PDB file of all heavy atoms in Angstrom:
ATOM      1  N   MET A1491     140.159 279.940 -34.732  1.00  0.00           N
ATOM      2  CA  MET A1491     141.429 279.330 -35.161  1.00  0.00           C
ATOM      3  C   MET A1491     141.559 277.936 -34.537  1.00  0.00           C
ATOM      4  O   MET A1491     141.344 277.766 -33.334  1.00  0.00           O
ATOM      5  CB  MET A1491     142.594 280.238 -34.734  1.00  0.00           C
ATOM      6  CG  MET A1491     143.938 279.764 -35.236  1.00  0.00           C
ATOM      7  SD  MET A1491     145.233 280.966 -34.828  1.00  0.00           S
ATOM      8  CE  MET A1491     146.610 280.158 -35.600  1.00  0.00           C
ATOM      9  N   HIS A1492     141.904 276.924 -35.363  1.00  0.00           N
ATOM     10  CA  HIS A1492     142.017 275.554 -34.883  1.00  0.00           C
ATOM     11  C   HIS A1492     143.245 275.398 -33.993  1.00  0.00           C
ATOM     12  O   HIS A1492     144.318 275.874 -34.305  1.00  0.00           O
ATOM     13  CB  HIS A1492     142.170 274.582 -36.049  1.00  0.00           C
ATOM     14  CG  HIS A1492     140.865 273.977 -36.459  1.00  0.00           C
ATOM     15  ND1 HIS A1492     139.912 273.635 -35.556  1.00  0.00           N
ATOM     16  CD2 HIS A1492     140.394 273.643 -37.689  1.00  0.00           C
ATOM     17  CE1 HIS A1492     138.880 273.103 -36.202  1.00  0.00           C
ATOM     18  NE2 HIS A1492     139.149 273.114 -37.507  1.00  0.00           N
ATOM     19  N   ARG A1493     143.107 274.697 -32.881  1.00  0.00           N
ATOM     20  CA  ARG A1493     144.235 274.363 -32.035  1.00  0.00           C
ATOM     21  C   ARG A1493     144.808 273.038 -32.526  1.00  0.00           C
ATOM     22  O   ARG A1493     144.096 272.039 -32.613  1.00  0.00           O
ATOM     23  CB  ARG A1493     143.783 274.226 -30.577  1.00  0.00           C
ATOM     24  CG  ARG A1493     144.899 273.817 -29.617  1.00  0.00           C
ATOM     25  CD  ARG A1493     144.384 273.832 -28.194  1.00  0.00           C
ATOM     26  NE  ARG A1493     143.433 272.767 -27.951  1.00  0.00           N
ATOM     27  CZ  ARG A1493     143.768 271.544 -27.512  1.00  0.00           C
ATOM     28  NH1 ARG A1493     145.038 271.252 -27.306  1.00  0.00           N
ATOM     29  NH2 ARG A1493     142.829 270.627 -27.307  1.00  0.00           N
ATOM     30  N   MET A1494     146.093 273.043 -32.880  1.00  0.00           N
ATOM     31  CA  MET A1494     146.749 271.814 -33.337  1.00  0.00           C
ATOM     32  C   MET A1494     146.996 270.909 -32.139  1.00  0.00           C
ATOM     33  O   MET A1494     147.609 271.326 -31.158  1.00  0.00           O
ATOM     34  CB  MET A1494     148.075 272.139 -34.025  1.00  0.00           C
ATOM     35  CG  MET A1494     147.923 272.903 -35.327  1.00  0.00           C
ATOM     36  SD  MET A1494     147.049 271.923 -36.591  1.00  0.00           S
ATOM     37  CE  MET A1494     148.248 270.650 -36.887  1.00  0.00           C
ATOM     38  N   ILE A1495     146.493 269.698 -32.205  1.00  0.00           N
ATOM     39  CA  ILE A1495     146.678 268.744 -31.115  1.00  0.00           C
ATOM     40  C   ILE A1495     147.909 267.908 -31.425  1.00  0.00           C
ATOM     41  O   ILE A1495     147.967 267.235 -32.459  1.00  0.00           O
ATOM     42  CB  ILE A1495     145.453 267.840 -30.957  1.00  0.00           C
ATOM     43  CG1 ILE A1495     144.212 268.684 -30.686  1.00  0.00           C
ATOM     44  CG2 ILE A1495     145.668 266.826 -29.828  1.00  0.00           C
ATOM     45  CD1 ILE A1495     142.930 267.887 -30.655  1.00  0.00           C
ATOM     46  N   PRO A1496     148.933 267.963 -30.570  1.00  0.00           N
ATOM     47  CA  PRO A1496     150.169 267.233 -30.869  1.00  0.00           C
ATOM     48  C   PRO A1496     149.973 265.726 -30.778  1.00  0.00           C
ATOM     49  O   PRO A1496     149.109 265.228 -30.052  1.00  0.00           O
ATOM     50  CB  PRO A1496     151.136 267.722 -29.786  1.00  0.00           C
ATOM     51  CG  PRO A1496     150.253 268.129 -28.649  1.00  0.00           C
ATOM     52  CD  PRO A1496     148.997 268.670 -29.282  1.00  0.00           C
ATOM     53  N   THR A1497     150.792 265.011 -31.560  1.00  0.00           N
ATOM     54  CA  THR A1497     150.813 263.545 -31.522  1.00  0.00           C
ATOM     55  C   THR A1497     152.087 263.097 -30.824  1.00  0.00           C
ATOM     56  O   THR A1497     153.179 263.576 -31.143  1.00  0.00           O
ATOM     57  CB  THR A1497     150.761 262.965 -32.941  1.00  0.00           C
ATOM     58  OG1 THR A1497     149.555 263.378 -33.575  1.00  0.00           O
ATOM     59  CG2 THR A1497     150.812 261.446 -32.906  1.00  0.00           C
ATOM     60  N   THR A1498     151.944 262.183 -29.900  1.00  0.00           N
ATOM     61  CA  THR A1498     153.073 261.643 -29.161  1.00  0.00           C
ATOM     62  C   THR A1498     153.259 260.173 -29.516  1.00  0.00           C
ATOM     63  O   THR A1498     152.287 259.415 -29.567  1.00  0.00           O
ATOM     64  CB  THR A1498     152.841 261.765 -27.638  1.00  0.00           C
ATOM     65  OG1 THR A1498     152.658 263.134 -27.299  1.00  0.00           O
ATOM     66  CG2 THR A1498     154.013 261.196 -26.853  1.00  0.00           C
ATOM     67  N   ILE A1499     154.495 259.776 -29.786  1.00  0.00           N
ATOM     68  CA  ILE A1499     154.818 258.369 -29.981  1.00  0.00           C
ATOM     69  C   ILE A1499     155.625 257.916 -28.770  1.00  0.00           C
ATOM     70  O   ILE A1499     156.643 258.523 -28.429  1.00  0.00           O
ATOM     71  CB  ILE A1499     155.604 258.142 -31.280  1.00  0.00           C
ATOM     72  CG1 ILE A1499     154.748 258.518 -32.491  1.00  0.00           C
ATOM     73  CG2 ILE A1499     156.049 256.679 -31.386  1.00  0.00           C
ATOM     74  CD1 ILE A1499     155.459 258.392 -33.824  1.00  0.00           C
ATOM     75  N   ARG A1500     155.147 256.876 -28.126  1.00  0.00           N
ATOM     76  CA  ARG A1500     155.769 256.396 -26.889  1.00  0.00           C
ATOM     77  C   ARG A1500     155.671 254.870 -26.819  1.00  0.00           C
ATOM     78  O   ARG A1500     154.922 254.247 -27.581  1.00  0.00           O
ATOM     79  CB  ARG A1500     155.061 257.013 -25.673  1.00  0.00           C
ATOM     80  CG  ARG A1500     153.572 256.701 -25.614  1.00  0.00           C
ATOM     81  CD  ARG A1500     152.982 257.037 -24.261  1.00  0.00           C
ATOM     82  NE  ARG A1500     151.531 256.818 -24.226  1.00  0.00           N
ATOM     83  CZ  ARG A1500     150.958 255.625 -24.077  1.00  0.00           C
ATOM     84  NH1 ARG A1500     151.708 254.530 -23.975  1.00  0.00           N
ATOM     85  NH2 ARG A1500     149.629 255.514 -24.034  1.00  0.00           N
ATOM     86  N   PRO A1501     156.417 254.245 -25.892  1.00  0.00           N
ATOM     87  CA  PRO A1501     156.312 252.795 -25.751  1.00  0.00           C
ATOM     88  C   PRO A1501     154.893 252.350 -25.388  1.00  0.00           C
ATOM     89  O   PRO A1501     154.200 253.020 -24.619  1.00  0.00           O
ATOM     90  CB  PRO A1501     157.292 252.477 -24.617  1.00  0.00           C
ATOM     91  CG  PRO A1501     158.275 253.605 -24.649  1.00  0.00           C
ATOM     92  CD  PRO A1501     157.492 254.815 -25.046  1.00  0.00           C
ATOM     93  N   MET A1502     154.481 251.233 -25.967  1.00  0.00           N
ATOM     94  CA  MET A1502     153.177 250.652 -25.610  1.00  0.00           C
ATOM     95  C   MET A1502     153.251 250.042 -24.220  1.00  0.00           C
ATOM     96  O   MET A1502     154.212 249.363 -23.869  1.00  0.00           O
ATOM     97  CB  MET A1502     152.792 249.581 -26.635  1.00  0.00           C
ATOM     98  CG  MET A1502     151.461 248.890 -26.333  1.00  0.00           C
ATOM     99  SD  MET A1502     151.132 247.474 -27.440  1.00  0.00           S
ATOM    100  CE  MET A1502     150.759 248.309 -28.981  1.00  0.00           C
ATOM    101  N   ARG A1503     152.215 250.283 -23.435  1.00  0.00           N
ATOM    102  CA  ARG A1503     152.088 249.692 -22.108  1.00  0.00           C
ATOM    103  C   ARG A1503     150.966 248.649 -22.127  1.00  0.00           C
ATOM    104  O   ARG A1503     150.062 248.731 -22.966  1.00  0.00           O
ATOM    105  CB  ARG A1503     151.798 250.764 -21.072  1.00  0.00           C
ATOM    106  CG  ARG A1503     152.865 251.845 -20.962  1.00  0.00           C
ATOM    107  CD  ARG A1503     152.533 252.811 -19.849  1.00  0.00           C
ATOM    108  NE  ARG A1503     151.415 253.695 -20.190  1.00  0.00           N
ATOM    109  CZ  ARG A1503     151.530 254.954 -20.579  1.00  0.00           C
ATOM    110  NH1 ARG A1503     152.743 255.491 -20.705  1.00  0.00           N
ATOM    111  NH2 ARG A1503     150.461 255.686 -20.840  1.00  0.00           N
ATOM    112  N   PRO A1504     150.982 247.698 -21.196  1.00  0.00           N
ATOM    113  CA  PRO A1504     149.877 246.732 -21.136  1.00  0.00           C
ATOM    114  C   PRO A1504     148.508 247.394 -21.034  1.00  0.00           C
ATOM    115  O   PRO A1504     147.522 246.859 -21.548  1.00  0.00           O
ATOM    116  CB  PRO A1504     150.200 245.905 -19.889  1.00  0.00           C
ATOM    117  CG  PRO A1504     151.700 245.954 -19.799  1.00  0.00           C
ATOM    118  CD  PRO A1504     152.065 247.351 -20.243  1.00  0.00           C
ATOM    119  N   THR A1505     148.454 248.561 -20.422  1.00  0.00           N
ATOM    120  CA  THR A1505     147.177 249.264 -20.300  1.00  0.00           C
ATOM    121  C   THR A1505     146.694 249.851 -21.627  1.00  0.00           C
ATOM    122  O   THR A1505     145.548 250.277 -21.724  1.00  0.00           O
ATOM    123  CB  THR A1505     147.284 250.392 -19.257  1.00  0.00           C
ATOM    124  OG1 THR A1505     148.425 251.215 -19.577  1.00  0.00           O
ATOM    125  CG2 THR A1505     147.458 249.822 -17.857  1.00  0.00           C
ATOM    126  N   ASP A1506     147.555 249.857 -22.657  1.00  0.00           N
ATOM    127  CA  ASP A1506     147.164 250.357 -23.984  1.00  0.00           C
ATOM    128  C   ASP A1506     146.545 249.266 -24.853  1.00  0.00           C
ATOM    129  O   ASP A1506     145.987 249.561 -25.912  1.00  0.00           O
ATOM    130  CB  ASP A1506     148.387 250.907 -24.741  1.00  0.00           C
ATOM    131  CG  ASP A1506     149.025 252.099 -24.063  1.00  0.00           C
ATOM    132  OD1 ASP A1506     148.283 252.989 -23.623  1.00  0.00           O
ATOM    133  OD2 ASP A1506     150.276 252.118 -23.979  1.00  0.00           O
ATOM    134  N   VAL A1507     146.660 248.007 -24.437  1.00  0.00           N
ATOM    135  CA  VAL A1507     146.306 246.890 -25.308  1.00  0.00           C
ATOM    136  C   VAL A1507     144.849 246.939 -25.748  1.00  0.00           C
ATOM    137  O   VAL A1507     144.529 246.764 -26.927  1.00  0.00           O
ATOM    138  CB  VAL A1507     146.635 245.547 -24.631  1.00  0.00           C
ATOM    139  CG1 VAL A1507     145.990 244.382 -25.381  1.00  0.00           C
ATOM    140  CG2 VAL A1507     148.141 245.355 -24.547  1.00  0.00           C
ATOM    141  N   ALA A1508     143.940 247.182 -24.805  1.00  0.00           N
ATOM    142  CA  ALA A1508     142.515 247.168 -25.152  1.00  0.00           C
ATOM    143  C   ALA A1508     142.195 248.251 -26.183  1.00  0.00           C
ATOM    144  O   ALA A1508     141.473 247.996 -27.165  1.00  0.00           O
ATOM    145  CB  ALA A1508     141.661 247.370 -23.899  1.00  0.00           C
ATOM    146  N   GLU A1509     142.743 249.439 -26.006  1.00  0.00           N
ATOM    147  CA  GLU A1509     142.444 250.542 -26.927  1.00  0.00           C
ATOM    148  C   GLU A1509     143.081 250.297 -28.299  1.00  0.00           C
ATOM    149  O   GLU A1509     142.452 250.538 -29.339  1.00  0.00           O
ATOM    150  CB  GLU A1509     142.932 251.861 -26.339  1.00  0.00           C
ATOM    151  CG  GLU A1509     142.449 253.075 -27.103  1.00  0.00           C
ATOM    152  CD  GLU A1509     142.834 254.393 -26.437  1.00  0.00           C
ATOM    153  OE1 GLU A1509     143.427 254.365 -25.341  1.00  0.00           O
ATOM    154  OE2 GLU A1509     142.539 255.448 -27.044  1.00  0.00           O
ATOM    155  N   ALA A1510     144.331 249.823 -28.307  1.00  0.00           N
ATOM    156  CA  ALA A1510     144.998 249.531 -29.578  1.00  0.00           C
ATOM    157  C   ALA A1510     144.275 248.411 -30.320  1.00  0.00           C
ATOM    158  O   ALA A1510     144.086 248.474 -31.543  1.00  0.00           O
ATOM    159  CB  ALA A1510     146.450 249.152 -29.322  1.00  0.00           C
ATOM    160  N   THR A1511     143.836 247.403 -29.599  1.00  0.00           N
ATOM    161  CA  THR A1511     143.095 246.297 -30.209  1.00  0.00           C
ATOM    162  C   THR A1511     141.801 246.789 -30.836  1.00  0.00           C
ATOM    163  O   THR A1511     141.461 246.409 -31.964  1.00  0.00           O
ATOM    164  CB  THR A1511     142.780 245.228 -29.144  1.00  0.00           C
ATOM    165  OG1 THR A1511     144.010 244.716 -28.611  1.00  0.00           O
ATOM    166  CG2 THR A1511     141.975 244.081 -29.746  1.00  0.00           C
ATOM    167  N   ALA A1512     141.077 247.642 -30.102  1.00  0.00           N
ATOM    168  CA  ALA A1512     139.801 248.163 -30.609  1.00  0.00           C
ATOM    169  C   ALA A1512     140.005 249.000 -31.870  1.00  0.00           C
ATOM    170  O   ALA A1512     139.220 248.908 -32.821  1.00  0.00           O
ATOM    171  CB  ALA A1512     139.109 248.985 -29.526  1.00  0.00           C
ATOM    172  N   ALA A1513     141.061 249.815 -31.899  1.00  0.00           N
ATOM    173  CA  ALA A1513     141.323 250.662 -33.062  1.00  0.00           C
ATOM    174  C   ALA A1513     141.590 249.810 -34.303  1.00  0.00           C
ATOM    175  O   ALA A1513     141.084 250.101 -35.399  1.00  0.00           O
ATOM    176  CB  ALA A1513     142.511 251.579 -32.779  1.00  0.00           C
ATOM    177  N   ILE A1514     142.374 248.742 -34.149  1.00  0.00           N
ATOM    178  CA  ILE A1514     142.698 247.885 -35.281  1.00  0.00           C
ATOM    179  C   ILE A1514     141.479 247.074 -35.725  1.00  0.00           C
ATOM    180  O   ILE A1514     141.239 246.887 -36.923  1.00  0.00           O
ATOM    181  CB  ILE A1514     143.897 246.991 -34.922  1.00  0.00           C
ATOM    182  CG1 ILE A1514     145.176 247.846 -34.959  1.00  0.00           C
ATOM    183  CG2 ILE A1514     144.023 245.806 -35.859  1.00  0.00           C
ATOM    184  CD1 ILE A1514     146.448 247.093 -34.656  1.00  0.00           C
ATOM    185  N   LEU A1515     140.692 246.614 -34.754  1.00  0.00           N
ATOM    186  CA  LEU A1515     139.458 245.899 -35.101  1.00  0.00           C
ATOM    187  C   LEU A1515     138.516 246.792 -35.900  1.00  0.00           C
ATOM    188  O   LEU A1515     137.913 246.367 -36.891  1.00  0.00           O
ATOM    189  CB  LEU A1515     138.758 245.409 -33.839  1.00  0.00           C
ATOM    190  CG  LEU A1515     139.170 244.042 -33.294  1.00  0.00           C
ATOM    191  CD1 LEU A1515     138.531 243.810 -31.927  1.00  0.00           C
ATOM    192  CD2 LEU A1515     138.768 242.940 -34.255  1.00  0.00           C
ATOM    193  N   ASP A1516     138.381 248.046 -35.474  1.00  0.00           N
ATOM    194  CA  ASP A1516     137.482 248.984 -36.161  1.00  0.00           C
ATOM    195  C   ASP A1516     137.909 249.203 -37.607  1.00  0.00           C
ATOM    196  O   ASP A1516     137.067 249.471 -38.477  1.00  0.00           O
ATOM    197  CB  ASP A1516     137.447 250.333 -35.423  1.00  0.00           C
ATOM    198  CG  ASP A1516     136.647 250.270 -34.127  1.00  0.00           C
ATOM    199  OD1 ASP A1516     135.904 249.283 -33.938  1.00  0.00           O
ATOM    200  OD2 ASP A1516     136.785 251.198 -33.309  1.00  0.00           O
ATOM    201  N   ALA A1517     139.212 249.099 -37.864  1.00  0.00           N
ATOM    202  CA  ALA A1517     139.723 249.316 -39.224  1.00  0.00           C
ATOM    203  C   ALA A1517     139.731 248.041 -40.055  1.00  0.00           C
ATOM    204  O   ALA A1517     140.176 248.053 -41.208  1.00  0.00           O
ATOM    205  CB  ALA A1517     141.127 249.907 -39.156  1.00  0.00           C
ATOM    206  N   GLY A1518     139.260 246.931 -39.479  1.00  0.00           N
ATOM    207  CA  GLY A1518     139.173 245.691 -40.240  1.00  0.00           C
ATOM    208  C   GLY A1518     140.463 244.913 -40.334  1.00  0.00           C
ATOM    209  O   GLY A1518     140.611 244.060 -41.215  1.00  0.00           O
ATOM    210  N   TRP A1519     141.390 245.142 -39.425  1.00  0.00           N
ATOM    211  CA  TRP A1519     142.671 244.440 -39.450  1.00  0.00           C
ATOM    212  C   TRP A1519     142.660 243.153 -38.640  1.00  0.00           C
ATOM    213  O   TRP A1519     143.663 242.461 -38.567  1.00  0.00           O
ATOM    214  CB  TRP A1519     143.784 245.358 -38.924  1.00  0.00           C
ATOM    215  CG  TRP A1519     144.453 246.181 -39.969  1.00  0.00           C
ATOM    216  CD1 TRP A1519     143.886 246.725 -41.073  1.00  0.00           C
ATOM    217  CD2 TRP A1519     145.834 246.552 -40.003  1.00  0.00           C
ATOM    218  NE1 TRP A1519     144.819 247.430 -41.788  1.00  0.00           N
ATOM    219  CE2 TRP A1519     146.024 247.346 -41.155  1.00  0.00           C
ATOM    220  CE3 TRP A1519     146.925 246.329 -39.175  1.00  0.00           C
ATOM    221  CZ2 TRP A1519     147.254 247.889 -41.500  1.00  0.00           C
ATOM    222  CZ3 TRP A1519     148.153 246.868 -39.513  1.00  0.00           C
ATOM    223  CH2 TRP A1519     148.315 247.633 -40.669  1.00  0.00           C
ATOM    224  N   GLY A1520     141.575 242.819 -37.991  1.00  0.00           N
ATOM    225  CA  GLY A1520     141.517 241.594 -37.203  1.00  0.00           C
ATOM    226  C   GLY A1520     141.844 241.828 -35.741  1.00  0.00           C
ATOM    227  O   GLY A1520     142.220 242.926 -35.325  1.00  0.00           O
ATOM    228  N   ASP A1521     141.692 240.778 -34.952  1.00  0.00           N
ATOM    229  CA  ASP A1521     141.875 240.857 -33.500  1.00  0.00           C
ATOM    230  C   ASP A1521     143.339 240.617 -33.149  1.00  0.00           C
ATOM    231  O   ASP A1521     143.861 239.523 -33.329  1.00  0.00           O
ATOM    232  CB  ASP A1521     140.978 239.822 -32.815  1.00  0.00           C
ATOM    233  CG  ASP A1521     140.911 240.009 -31.311  1.00  0.00           C
ATOM    234  OD1 ASP A1521     141.763 240.750 -30.763  1.00  0.00           O
ATOM    235  OD2 ASP A1521     140.024 239.418 -30.682  1.00  0.00           O
ATOM    236  N   ARG A1522     144.013 241.638 -32.636  1.00  0.00           N
ATOM    237  CA  ARG A1522     145.431 241.536 -32.264  1.00  0.00           C
ATOM    238  C   ARG A1522     145.640 241.492 -30.738  1.00  0.00           C
ATOM    239  O   ARG A1522     146.766 241.699 -30.280  1.00  0.00           O
ATOM    240  CB  ARG A1522     146.214 242.723 -32.836  1.00  0.00           C
ATOM    241  CG  ARG A1522     146.082 242.943 -34.337  1.00  0.00           C
ATOM    242  CD  ARG A1522     146.631 241.763 -35.126  1.00  0.00           C
ATOM    243  NE  ARG A1522     146.401 241.917 -36.556  1.00  0.00           N
ATOM    244  CZ  ARG A1522     147.284 242.459 -37.395  1.00  0.00           C
ATOM    245  NH1 ARG A1522     148.447 242.877 -36.955  1.00  0.00           N
ATOM    246  NH2 ARG A1522     146.986 242.559 -38.679  1.00  0.00           N
ATOM    247  N   ARG A1523     144.590 241.228 -29.970  1.00  0.00           N
ATOM    248  CA  ARG A1523     144.719 241.336 -28.510  1.00  0.00           C
ATOM    249  C   ARG A1523     145.795 240.397 -27.960  1.00  0.00           C
ATOM    250  O   ARG A1523     146.661 240.832 -27.189  1.00  0.00           O
ATOM    251  CB  ARG A1523     143.391 241.058 -27.825  1.00  0.00           C
ATOM    252  CG  ARG A1523     143.488 241.128 -26.287  1.00  0.00           C
ATOM    253  CD  ARG A1523     142.165 240.898 -25.619  1.00  0.00           C
ATOM    254  NE  ARG A1523     141.274 242.031 -25.798  1.00  0.00           N
ATOM    255  CZ  ARG A1523     141.280 243.109 -25.011  1.00  0.00           C
ATOM    256  NH1 ARG A1523     142.142 243.197 -24.015  1.00  0.00           N
ATOM    257  NH2 ARG A1523     140.441 244.093 -25.236  1.00  0.00           N
ATOM    258  N   GLU A1524     145.756 239.109 -28.326  1.00  0.00           N
ATOM    259  CA  GLU A1524     146.748 238.182 -27.781  1.00  0.00           C
ATOM    260  C   GLU A1524     148.163 238.598 -28.173  1.00  0.00           C
ATOM    261  O   GLU A1524     149.101 238.492 -27.373  1.00  0.00           O
ATOM    262  CB  GLU A1524     146.467 236.757 -28.269  1.00  0.00           C
ATOM    263  CG  GLU A1524     145.410 236.027 -27.475  1.00  0.00           C
ATOM    264  CD  GLU A1524     145.385 234.545 -27.804  1.00  0.00           C
ATOM    265  OE1 GLU A1524     145.006 234.217 -28.942  1.00  0.00           O
ATOM    266  OE2 GLU A1524     145.749 233.732 -26.930  1.00  0.00           O
ATOM    267  N   PHE A1525     148.305 239.062 -29.410  1.00  0.00           N
ATOM    268  CA  PHE A1525     149.617 239.510 -29.868  1.00  0.00           C
ATOM    269  C   PHE A1525     150.088 240.716 -29.071  1.00  0.00           C
ATOM    270  O   PHE A1525     151.230 240.750 -28.578  1.00  0.00           O
ATOM    271  CB  PHE A1525     149.542 239.833 -31.359  1.00  0.00           C
ATOM    272  CG  PHE A1525     150.785 240.464 -31.908  1.00  0.00           C
ATOM    273  CD1 PHE A1525     151.983 239.778 -31.917  1.00  0.00           C
ATOM    274  CD2 PHE A1525     150.759 241.751 -32.415  1.00  0.00           C
ATOM    275  CE1 PHE A1525     153.139 240.363 -32.426  1.00  0.00           C
ATOM    276  CE2 PHE A1525     151.896 242.343 -32.921  1.00  0.00           C
ATOM    277  CZ  PHE A1525     153.096 241.657 -32.926  1.00  0.00           C
ATOM    278  N   PHE A1526     149.236 241.715 -28.894  1.00  0.00           N
ATOM    279  CA  PHE A1526     149.616 242.896 -28.123  1.00  0.00           C
ATOM    280  C   PHE A1526     149.862 242.549 -26.649  1.00  0.00           C
ATOM    281  O   PHE A1526     150.750 243.122 -26.011  1.00  0.00           O
ATOM    282  CB  PHE A1526     148.548 243.985 -28.234  1.00  0.00           C
ATOM    283  CG  PHE A1526     148.560 244.734 -29.540  1.00  0.00           C
ATOM    284  CD1 PHE A1526     147.386 245.267 -30.052  1.00  0.00           C
ATOM    285  CD2 PHE A1526     149.728 244.932 -30.250  1.00  0.00           C
ATOM    286  CE1 PHE A1526     147.377 245.978 -31.246  1.00  0.00           C
ATOM    287  CE2 PHE A1526     149.738 245.628 -31.455  1.00  0.00           C
ATOM    288  CZ  PHE A1526     148.561 246.153 -31.953  1.00  0.00           C
ATOM    289  N   ASP A1527     149.070 241.638 -26.105  1.00  0.00           N
ATOM    290  CA  ASP A1527     149.317 241.186 -24.732  1.00  0.00           C
ATOM    291  C   ASP A1527     150.737 240.652 -24.600  1.00  0.00           C
ATOM    292  O   ASP A1527     151.423 240.902 -23.593  1.00  0.00           O
ATOM    293  CB  ASP A1527     148.322 240.086 -24.336  1.00  0.00           C
ATOM    294  CG  ASP A1527     146.963 240.634 -23.913  1.00  0.00           C
ATOM    295  OD1 ASP A1527     146.885 241.811 -23.522  1.00  0.00           O
ATOM    296  OD2 ASP A1527     145.985 239.872 -23.976  1.00  0.00           O
TER     297      ASP A1527
END
């Protein structure tokens, strides 16, 4: 039986910037690092 992994929505922290930037880059949305910073 599959375990459902919950999704949490929370405020972005500066420590999230690198991961969020990488996810958007991988999807072809461009580099948002300076904006997220």
Side-chain angles (χ1 to χ4, degrees):
M1491 185 175 182
H1492 264 322
R1493 178 175 70 90
M1494 294 296 293
I1495 301 174
T1497 299
T1498 301
I1499 296 177
R1500 58 167 176 79
M1502 179 188 288
R1503 300 184 287 258
T1505 52
D1506 297 316
V1507 167
E1509 190 175 357
T1511 299
I1514 285 181
L1515 272 171
D1516 286 346
W1519 270 35
D1521 191 345
R1522 306 297 175 93
R1523 179 178 288 275
E1524 278 192 292
F1525 173 63
F1526 284 150
D1527 279 338

